[in-house]
Every structure is written in structure tokens, then in C-alpha cells.
Amino acid sequence: QVHLQESGPGLVKPSETLSLTCTVSGYSIFSGYFWGWIRQPPGKGLEWIGHMYHSGNTYYNPSLKSRVTISIPTSKNQFSLDLDSVTAADTAIYFCVRYNAGSLDYWGQGTLVTVSS
Amino acid sequence: DIIMTQSPLSLPVTLGQAASISCRSSQSLVDNDGNTYLNWFHQRPGQSPRRLIYKVSNRDSGVPDRFSGSGSGTEFTLKISRVEAEDVGIYYCMQGTQWPLTFGPGTKVEVK
């Protein structure tokens, strides 16, 4: 069974960089599929942030593209999200997900990130 | 971007009765490969979304057969034949035909 788990700071200061890591178990991210991030502001709907393939191909939401980087930082079975120059509007629950043929079949439990000084 | 809309946004239901949620896309979701990448997710409070349906009508493993998806082109429907207490929460449709992936605003299902 594929399992995804987000980790990272729960509080980030305005103008700084939000950095999260997703640890995957049950499947090697180097074997295939796209891996990415979805976010959900408290009490609101879902927003796609972006996805990447292990070869480096990436797709980002145009509304966030200038501030987002999704990457595989090490040889571990992990991928990461960096969101630059955050504001209060970036406060949300961040989910890591697996993209599979036009769908999102596995989700992490989500982690709340609050942007506040 | 493809805009997804849902109706109703709030759906009070009686346990044991049927329920239906509509999802519409601003353009056809038929991909060049002939597939239609329309998905349905269910989110309970405090939980991550769980996929129920993919490619319009394919139920995920473990999803009760009281859930069914239908539709084509730009209009889609999720039906629950007999609502159970565990079905409350928010239902989202999502299109995966075109980047960026986009979600509907969600339909909140609650017991009357």
C-alpha cells in the first residue's frame, strides 16, 4: 500500500520560504508517476499547486508558478515543496499526492502551515 | 484553465434516501486519448480527501456500490443510492484532462 506523509514547519513568517517534505513508502518515486502538492485554506476548497516526474518534468499552477519549486532533493524516497515569499494567503493545509492518469489516487494526511509573524 | 462548478453547494439529506450532485466543466473533458478524466472525492472533517470515482464512472476499491458516477463531455453526476451516516462531508469533482488540475467548489452533504 502506498503511503505519503508530509513534514515541515507549522509556522512560517511572512516573506519567508515555506518548505515541506513528503516521504513516500510502498512505492519508489523513481519508478514512475507524477508526485505533487495540493493545498486547502482553512474552511475552503482544494487548490492544485503542482506536480513533478522523477526525470525533472514539472507542471505548476500558473497562479503560483513564479514562487513554487517541487523537487527531489536527495536519493531518499522523498520529494519537496518550496513556496517563496509567503503571505497570510498561503496559510493552508498542504497535502502531498500521487498523480496517476488524470487523477490523484493517494493523498497524505495533510499538514497545516500558518503564515504569521 | 478549465472551470469546474458544482450544484448544489449544500445538500441536506435524509438517511436512506438518494442524493445527487452535479458537476459541470467549462469545456469538454474528453482527452485526445479518448478518455474523460473526471474524478470525485469525498472529504470528511479533519481528514484528507479520498477518491471515490475516476474516469467518470470507475469506483475505487472499497467504495460502496451505492456510489455511482455518470456523465459525459461537460456534465457529470455523482449519485448516492441510499445515504448512510458515514457519507456526510464535502464532495469535490476534479478534472485531470488538462493542466492545471482544477476542482469544483465542493458540495457539503449533511443529515437533515
Side-chain angles (χ1 to χ4, degrees):
Chain A
Q1 181 74 342
V2 180
H3 183 73
L4 293 82
Q5 179 68 59
E6 306 86 352
S7 60
L11 181 64
V12 180
K13 289 183 168 55
S15 79
E16 295 190 344
T17 297
L18 180 160
S19 294
L20 295 174
T21 297
C22 182
T23 300
V24 180
S25 58
Y27 190 87
S28 170
I29 64 174
F30 301 98
S31 294
Y33 296 109
F34 279 79
W35 304 87
W37 298 89
I38 304 292
R39 71 179 183 178
Q40 184 174 38
K44 296 189 177 181
L46 299 164
E47 180 181 32
W48 175 70
I49 299 172
H51 270 81
M52 73 162 297
Y53 196 69
H54 65 83
S55 63
N57 287 357
T58 54
Y59 294 93
Y60 295 136
N61 192 320
S63 68
L64 298 170
K65 187 174 183 177
S66 63
R67 299 193 291 131
V68 172
T69 303
I70 297 174
S71 63
I72 299 175
T74 70
S75 58
K76 295 180 182 179
N77 210 29
Q78 298 175 328
F79 60 99
S80 66
L81 168 69
D82 288 312
L83 182 64
D84 300 329
S85 306
V86 296
T87 69
D90 296 309
T91 293
I93 299 171
Y94 286 77
F95 300 97
C96 55
V97 293
R98 187 176 84 169
Y99 173 85
N100 176 10
S103 189
L104 304 174
D105 57 356
Y106 289 99
W107 295 63
Q109 67 182 26
T111 187
L112 175 63
V113 180
T114 301
V115 178
S116 174
S117 55
Chain B
D1 299 4
I2 297 177
I3 298 170
M4 306 297 290
T5 58
Q6 290 181 232
S7 63
L9 298 183
S10 178
L11 182 58
V13 297
T14 300
L15 296 179
Q17 296 299 305
S20 180
I21 301 171
S22 173
C23 173
R24 292 186 175 181
S25 57
S26 61
Q27 56 188 272
S28 174
L29 297 186
V30 180
D31 197 1
N32 291 335
D33 63 6
N35 288 307
T36 301
Y37 296 107
L38 186 283
N39 305 269
W40 289 98
F41 297 89
H42 175 217
Q43 186 178 33
R44 296 189 178 102
Q47 296 187 13
S48 56
R50 171 199 181 195
R51 192 179 69 177
L52 300 175
I53 303 281
Y54 60 96
K55 286 195 284 187
V56 181
S57 59
N58 295 274
R59 263 193 315 273
D60 268 275
S61 174
V63 174
D65 61 7
R66 64 178 181 274
F67 290 93
S68 64
S70 63
S72 63
T74 62
E75 298 198 11
F76 306 92
T77 302
L78 176 70
K79 291 184 179 177
I80 311 173
S81 58
R82 295 172 305 280
V83 174
E84 298 190 5
E86 64 182 17
D87 300 337
V88 299
I90 302 177
Y91 290 80
Y92 296 95
C93 60
M94 185 208 87
Q95 68 82 19
T97 296
Q98 184 182 111
W99 304 102
L101 306 181
T102 47
F103 294 87
T107 295
K108 187 174 184 178
V109 172
E110 52 193 0
V111 177
K112 284 182 180 176

